[in-house]
């Protein structure tokens, strides 16, 4: 058996955002947001396109969007979900923009603010967003700076950083562990782990993700997405390597210039050039 890589946008939307995914998404959200407790009782998967209210505003597209009911919030909450593989410039601001937009577009002109429902923006990253923290799952709301009293829970940002999750298959102890492991490793597994076969939502997620269940058109889309993802990842890595190499060269240049400056009143220009590797013109420019 071979499975889709859930981290590609095509696979993630198919597994968690399709019509057949309702029970899968409920289990997934309860695992990541509520420690596996059956807090979310029902949900409706809705169009992830967030149309702007005003002409000229930016369109936004999400991976999955749903209205959930948890038994506590009478009118439900909106949950927007994004799976992000590459750490692109401005991504942290994009998360905040999408959450704010999902909150604001609920009202039509003239409607009362009391009709606004809470929004949870769940962001799953295949890179570390908060390297200073060891937490795999982190959650943010608006709080007072000094005493940390809460101003509002109406917009909540939740993050799952996959690289921080290092448990092996034998070390998984909860449904939360299993869902995170599924995101990280599903495409490397050859069968559904035996110990998971009592969890219907996870079994169904594997069935949806099984490559043999894809149509020819879906398989073609998936393979193109995989190539695109790999090409972009390689481009980012190459850029990082080039940046490091350039930084080293700049550091060596600065070091040589510092030595040359210190020797200007001691040695002649030609000797300094031999000692530092700088050209005579570069040394004269320093002088």
């Amino acid at each position: 058996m071979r499975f889709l890589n859930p981290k590609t946008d095509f696979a993630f939307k198919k597994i968690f955002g399709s019509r057949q995914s309702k029970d899968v998404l409920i289990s997934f959200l309860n695992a990541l947001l509520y420690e596996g407790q059956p807090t979310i009782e029902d949900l409706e998967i809705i169009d992830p396109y967030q149309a702007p209210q005003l002409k000229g505003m930016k369109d936004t597209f999400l991976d999955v969007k749903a209205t959930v009911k948890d038994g506590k919030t009478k009118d439900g909450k909106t949950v927007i979900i994004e799976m992000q593989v590459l750490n692109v410039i401005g991504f942290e601001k994009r998360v905040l923009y999408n959450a704010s937009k999902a909150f604001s577009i609920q009202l039509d002109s003239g409607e009362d603010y009391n009709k606004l429902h809470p929004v949870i923006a769940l962001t799953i990253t295949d890179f570390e967003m908060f390297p200073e923290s060891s937490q795999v799952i982190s959650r943010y709301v608006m709080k007072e700076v000094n005493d940390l009293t809460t101003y509002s829970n109406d917009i909540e940002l939740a993050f799952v950083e996959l690289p921080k999750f290092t448990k092996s298959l034998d070390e998984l102890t909860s449904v939360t562990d299993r869902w995170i492991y599924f995101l990280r490793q599903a495409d490397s597994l050859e069968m559904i782990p035996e110990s998971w076969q009592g969890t219907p939502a996870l079994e169904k997620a594997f069935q949806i993700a099984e490559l043999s269940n894809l149509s020819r058109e879906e398989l073609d889309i998936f393979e193109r997405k995989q190539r695109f993802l790999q090409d972009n990842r390689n481009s980012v890595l190459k850029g990082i390597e080039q940046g490091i190499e350039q930084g080293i060269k700049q550091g060596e240049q600065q070091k040589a210039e510092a030595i040359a400056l210190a020797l200007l009143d001691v040695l002649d220009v030609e000797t300094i050039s031999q000692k530092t590797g700088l050209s005579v013109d570069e040394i004269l420019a320093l002088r």
Side-chain angles (χ1 to χ4, degrees), residues 4-8 11-13 15-16 24 28 31-32 81-85 122-126 136-137 159-163 165 172 175-189 196 202 205-206:
L4 296 168
N5 177 2
K7 290 178 285 189
T8 60
F12 191 88
K13 291 173 185 176
I15 296 167
F16 298 107
V24 173
F28 180 73
L32 297 188
I81 310 169
E82 186 166 7
M83 174 74 233
Q84 183 69 18
V85 174
L122 174 60
T123 304
I124 302 149
T125 65
D126 201 27
V136 177
I137 300 176
F159 297 89
V160 181
E161 298 169 82
L162 297 181
F165 188 83
L172 308 181
V175 68
T176 304
D177 286 349
R178 290 175 180 176
W179 273 118
I180 298 176
Y181 189 89
F182 172 84
L183 291 174
R184 288 207 65 186
Q185 303 292 344
D187 59 327
S188 66
L189 297 175
W196 296 21
L202 275 161
F206 273 106

Side-chain angles (χ1 to χ4, degrees), residues 55-259:
K55 186 177 180 180
M57 284 183 65
K58 187 177 178 63
D59 287 6
T60 51
F61 297 86
L62 307 165
D63 288 327
V64 179
K65 185 176 183 179
T67 301
V68 306
K69 294 187 177 181
D70 58 15
K72 298 178 182 178
T73 308
K74 182 180 178 182
D75 296 320
K77 298 179 180 179
T78 298
V79 177
I80 60 175
I81 310 169
E82 186 166 7
M83 174 74 233
Q84 183 69 18
V85 174
L86 300 174
N87 189 4
V88 296
I89 295 173
F91 177 67
E92 68 285 351
K93 293 186 182 296
R94 189 173 91 194
V95 171
L96 188 58
Y97 179 81
N98 285 339
S100 302
K101 190 172 184 180
F103 186 68
S104 65
I105 63 175
Q106 297 178 67
L107 293 183
D108 291 326
S109 178
E111 286 191 306
D112 192 271
Y113 293 112
N114 288 328
K115 291 187 177 182
L116 288 167
H117 302 157
V119 169
I120 300 177
L122 174 60
T123 304
I124 302 149
T125 65
D126 201 27
F127 54 87
E128 291 191 7
M129 277 200 72
F130 312 107
E132 68 280 0
S133 170
S134 62
Q135 291 187 127
V136 177
I137 300 176
S138 53
R139 302 177 73 159
Y140 298 83
V141 294
M142 295 177 67
K143 290 184 176 289
E144 203 282 328
V145 172
N146 295 309
D147 62 17
L148 300 182
T149 53
T150 301
Y151 174 79
S152 172
N153 290 320
D154 282 341
I155 298 180
E156 179 179 345
L157 308 181
F159 297 89
V160 181
E161 298 169 82
L162 297 181
K164 292 181 179 179
F165 188 83
T166 58
K167 290 184 179 181
S168 67
L169 186 59
D170 295 334
E171 294 174 323
L172 308 181
T173 58
S174 66
V175 68
T176 304
D177 286 349
R178 290 175 180 176
W179 273 118
I180 298 176
Y181 189 89
F182 172 84
L183 291 174
R184 288 207 65 186
Q185 303 292 344
D187 59 327
S188 66
L189 297 175
E190 296 180 353
M191 62 180 65
I192 303 173
E194 187 175 347
S195 60
W196 296 21
Q197 294 178 11
T199 310
L202 275 161
E203 289 187 72
K204 186 172 180 179
F206 273 106
Q207 291 168 6
I208 297 172
E210 190 174 346
L211 285 172
S212 62
N213 291 331
L214 299 183
S215 66
R216 181 170 296 182
E217 181 182 2
E218 288 178 321
L219 189 59
D220 180 60
I221 293 171
F222 170 68
E223 288 175 346
R224 283 191 281 113
K225 293 285 187 180
Q226 282 282 78
R227 287 195 297 270
F228 176 80
L229 180 61
Q230 189 60 46
D231 289 346
N232 277 270
R233 190 190 295 273
N234 289 339
S235 296
V236 170
L237 291 174
K238 184 176 180 181
I240 292 172
E241 290 173 356
Q242 290 175 341
I244 292 172
E245 183 178 347
Q246 184 177 359
I248 291 172
K249 289 180 179 178
Q250 288 177 345
E252 291 174 347
Q253 177 76 10
Q254 291 169 356
K255 183 178 179 180
E257 289 175 355
I259 294 172

